[in-house]
Amino acid sequence: MDATLERIRLAERMSRLGTESAFDVLVRAQELEAQGREIIHLEIGEPDFPTAPHIVEAAVRALHDGWTHYGPSAGLSQLREAVAEDASRRRDISVDPAEVVITPGAKPVMFFTILALVERGDEVLYPNPGFPIYESMINFVHGRPTPYSLPEERDFGIDVGEILAKVTDRTRLVILNSPHNPTGGAVVRADLATLAEALVGRDTFILSDEIYSRLLYEGEHDSIAEFPGMKQRTIILDGFSKTYAMTGWRLGYGIMCPELAQRVARLQTNSNSCTASFIQIAGVEALRGDQACVDHMVEEFRQRRRVIVDGLNRIPGFHCRMPRGAFYAFPNMAGTNHNSKALAAALLEDVGVACLSGTAFGSWGEGYLRFSFANSVENIHKALERIEDWTKTNL
Ligand SMILES: Cc1ncc(COP(=O)(O)O)c(C=O)c1O
């Protein structure tokens, strides 16, 4: 470690903050590229499409029109209205603009919700494997992390029995993520109904991470907020990063009861002040403008999904379920007799295929790798060939 860093006396809470190891893999892949190696990037969790021109133009226009100042902490009323309208149309709920908080990217919704609701010792249920920031934030606020599994044999959906067996009087928050990163699984409506019925009478909130809700290849997206009594205890996390290929713009939102929305807006006043105004104006265009860009991207992902899953299933030692949503394949590679981290490292170092170990998403991700199919069909084919060649000499 850097000598200067060692000398700094950090606040104790910093030792409880985790990270996303996806970024470490990207750094190593870039080092190899700097040495002249050709790397196929299947580690990245963002669409490889450009943001649609009508959204870019709306942002440029907004800059020229003077949307260059501070705005309200909860977000511009235009965008809160557009989000409420969009969320009400796409889910079986009625959302009021007062229930919407606009954030720079969707990630702050996790941070703010957990800060606002979870006290020391409160239990928080979250998926393992799952997005690493859930566990990081639970630990940060001294909550008690309580992981639940996503069984492969249930197509990585939830096992409601397991979740309910883990719910106690100290359970303050249950985190759901559907469609799911990293497995591509989606929770089925019947499971949401059972879960909702069991949770409705409790002092428990649900953080429903629905960032991939438009990237679903089979069936309709369901939100737990749609079930009786659940809307007021659910915080829906969604945004523009994945749906509109806008990861670098940093634009997301939370939908929650107005009382909580006011408190979350105050957390925003204390941190970011507000989300960039011209970006929010572009967000209105994204939601109200032509949706063909989303449909086109989903169709592309659907084709690539088939290519990568079929290809992985042909490789000895791999077995891959068809993801229902998001843009990740999560093959079981236990048959290779390698551990996940070692295999991911070997594929990167030996054949230049960057992917993530299942354990980058929690210890129960052992035995799996995550491949993002946010890359061209040509590159996916090339990566599959390289992996197959590698297994011929190394298994
Ligand atoms: C499950 C999940 N939730 C939330 C996010 C964060 O989205 P954003 O980039 O809008 O902050 C991601 C990004 O990878 C994600 O995979």
Side-chain angles (χ1 to χ4, degrees):
M1 196 194 280
D2 183 312
T4 335
L5 281 182
E6 271 178 18
R7 280 204 310 272
I8 294 176
R9 188 177 59 80
L10 289 169
E12 180 270 337
R13 70 178 72 85
M14 291 305 291
S15 66
R16 284 178 276 111
L17 207 51
T19 187
E20 277 187 72
S21 54
F23 291 112
D24 300 341
V25 175
L26 184 61
V27 167
R28 180 62 189 146
Q30 286 168 343
E31 274 170 16
L32 292 172
E33 279 171 329
Q35 293 165 17
R37 295 274 305 278
E38 190 216 24
I39 305 296
I40 303 175
H41 291 276
L42 302 182
E43 81 281 31
I44 295 178
E46 63 176 346
D48 54 323
F49 295 85
T51 307
H54 66 283
I55 303 174
V56 176
E57 277 155 26
V60 173
R61 222 171 23 246
L63 280 169
H64 285 301
D65 289 349
W67 289 100
T68 51
H69 300 276
Y70 291 132
S73 289
L76 293 174
S77 58
Q78 295 92 318
L79 184 56
R80 294 174 82 194
E81 277 162 25
V83 166
E85 195 183 281
D86 176 74
S88 306
R89 193 175 49 241
R90 292 198 292 109
R91 297 178 183 85
D92 196 12
I93 46 175
S94 163
V95 178
D96 189 88
E99 297 171 310
V100 177
V101 181
I102 309 296
T103 46
K107 230 183 206 176
V109 177
M110 286 169 210
F111 199 88
F112 294 156
T113 299
I114 292 173
L115 273 181
L117 293 178
V118 180
E119 294 263 42
R120 181 184 284 265
D122 282 348
E123 289 165 3
V124 183
L125 269 68
Y126 66 103
N128 184 346
F131 194 59
I133 301 306
Y134 306 143
E135 191 181 80
S136 165
M137 278 308 300
I138 300 164
N139 284 323
F140 191 61
V141 302
H142 276 300
R144 194 174 302 162
T146 312
Y148 64 82
S149 67
L150 297 167
E152 184 180 355
E153 60 279 11
R154 299 180 69 92
D155 271 337
F156 301 113
I158 54 172
D159 174 350
V160 185
E162 180 194 340
I163 293 183
L164 293 183
K166 289 180 173 172
V167 170
T168 72
D169 290 344
R170 287 305 304 266
T171 305
R172 184 66 171 140
L173 188 67
V174 175
I175 303 178
L176 298 175
N177 172 213
S178 179
H180 182 254
N181 176 13
T183 66
V187 179
V188 297
R189 194 169 176 85
D191 286 342
L192 286 179
T194 316
L195 192 58
E197 210 175 311
L199 293 179
V200 77
R202 293 182 165 271
D203 183 26
T204 302
F205 279 83
I206 292 88
L207 172 60
S208 185
D209 184 339
E210 303 181 17
I211 193 89
Y212 295 100
S213 57
R214 299 277 297 271
L215 302 178
L216 189 68
Y217 310 104
E218 291 158 26
E220 298 273 304
H221 173 69
D222 295 307
S223 172
I224 196 160
E226 295 167 4
F227 292 87
M230 293 310 283
K231 197 186 137 204
Q232 63 263 37
R233 60 184 68 246
T234 301
I235 298 94
I236 296 176
L237 173 156
D238 203 342
F240 297 75
S241 298
K242 319 287 175 174
T243 304
Y244 296 102
M246 289 174 68
T247 48
W249 295 62
R250 309 313 297 137
L251 187 61
Y253 53 86
I255 299 172
M256 62 205 81
C257 64
E259 297 79 5
L260 184 58
Q262 280 172 23
R263 297 336 190 278
V264 165
R266 183 167 294 193
L267 282 167
Q268 192 134 259
T269 307
N270 279 268
S271 50
N272 315 302
S273 292
C274 61
T275 306
S277 300
F278 66 97
I279 303 257
Q280 293 190 60
I281 296 294
V284 175
E285 174 62 27
L287 292 176
R288 296 216 169 120
D290 192 352
Q291 301 297 298
C293 54
V294 184
D295 299 338
H296 167 73
M297 189 171 72
V298 171
E299 280 320 301
E300 276 285 321
F301 281 144
R302 190 191 301 280
Q303 282 182 32
R304 297 172 187 184
R305 174 181 81 133
R306 168 69 57 196
V307 171
I308 196 160
V309 170
D310 288 352
L312 286 168
N313 279 325
R314 279 195 292 271
I315 298 173
F318 282 72
H319 168 74
C320 189
R321 301 232 166 197
M322 190 60 79
R324 288 183 56 207
F327 38 75
Y328 308 114
F330 198 63
N332 181 326
M333 36 56 73
T336 63
N337 291 324
H338 282 67
N339 78 42
S340 304
K341 204 166 175 204
L343 184 58
L347 293 178
L348 177 59
E349 302 291 332
D350 298 350
V351 290
V353 175
C355 66
L356 297 183
S357 164
T359 52
F361 302 91
S363 55
W364 297 350
E366 183 56 62
Y368 299 89
L369 294 179
R370 190 194 81 171
F371 291 92
S372 158
F373 44 93
N375 206 324
S376 65
V377 168
E378 189 191 345
N379 279 337
I380 292 171
H381 275 303
K382 209 191 280 185
L384 290 165
E385 274 165 34
R386 290 187 189 184
I387 300 169
E388 194 160 12
D389 286 348
W390 186 90
T391 58
K392 279 180 192 147
T393 40
N394 292 282
L395 291 192

